[in-house]
Amino acid sequence: MTPLAIRALLGLEPNEVATALLTIEAGATVLRVCNNNEPVISGGENFADYPFNITLPSDGEGIPSADLQIANVDNEISEAMDALGSSPLCKIEVVLASTPDVIEMSFSHLKMRGVKQDDISISATLSQSQIDNRPYPPLRVTQRDFPGLY
């Protein structure tokens, strides 16, 4: 992350704005929004301006997770969320308004869980899969799976 981006995130750079880009996808359906006052083009992709708040994942103990709250001001966002189906994958990118093609911070492969929707907002938790619950090594040499070795 550049020093300018750090100052912008801390609110110490009055002429620079840090913008969060959110990509939500499930299959062929993709929703791209940014929490800016105008649309952003980053990496050749269009991000529609749409109000949302996001708490970025921390480096603390446990599984990194982000809290997302999207304003439900019209039917477009709720219809898009319904079209995504269950467990869409999300990506959060932070860019500066002056250089939207330079990704300052990125969190990818986040699963959207616990979606709650009402007339005012849509909220969800974005988290990665829990790695420490997976068996290691992923393949075990047993007599059933490898009878030629026994």
Side-chain angles (χ1 to χ4, degrees):
M1 180 178 280
T2 62
L4 179 63
I6 293 171
R7 288 194 309 272
L9 284 170
L10 294 174
L12 301 174
E13 193 65 43
N15 297 328
E16 195 61 65
V17 177
T19 302
L21 308 176
L22 176 65
T23 304
I24 305 171
E25 54 185 301
T29 306
V30 179
L31 176 65
R32 290 185 179 88
V33 293
C34 65
N35 64 349
N36 199 8
N37 292 334
E38 57 187 36
V40 172
I41 298 174
S42 177
E45 301 292 346
N46 293 322
F47 291 84
D49 56 320
Y50 209 86
F52 69 87
N53 290 323
I54 194 155
T55 305
L56 296 175
S58 67
D59 287 338
E61 291 187 26
I63 301 170
S65 66
D67 294 321
L68 172 67
Q69 189 170 17
I70 302 175
N72 195 8
V73 293
D74 62 13
N75 288 339
E76 182 179 338
I77 194 73
S78 60
E79 289 172 0
M81 293 296 288
D82 291 339
L84 288 171
S86 63
S87 296
L89 283 177
C90 302
K91 179 169 57 171
I92 304 166
E93 297 171 314
V94 177
V95 298
L96 296 177
S98 62
T99 55
D101 288 328
V102 178
I103 307 300
E104 299 291 343
M105 189 183 322
S106 179
F107 303 93
S108 58
H109 304 308
L110 301 170
K111 283 223 176 210
M112 184 179 284
R113 296 183 167 99
V115 178
K116 296 176 186 169
Q117 185 172 335
D118 60 23
D119 294 338
I120 299 171
S121 66
I122 300 169
S123 60
T125 300
L126 309 177
S127 64
Q128 292 180 336
S129 61
Q130 194 166 356
I131 295 174
D132 50 348
N133 279 348
R134 295 182 189 164
Y136 185 82
L139 182 65
R140 300 194 78 167
V141 179
T142 62
Q143 188 173 7
R144 184 190 65 150
D145 295 330
F146 297 92
L149 292 177
Y150 290 89

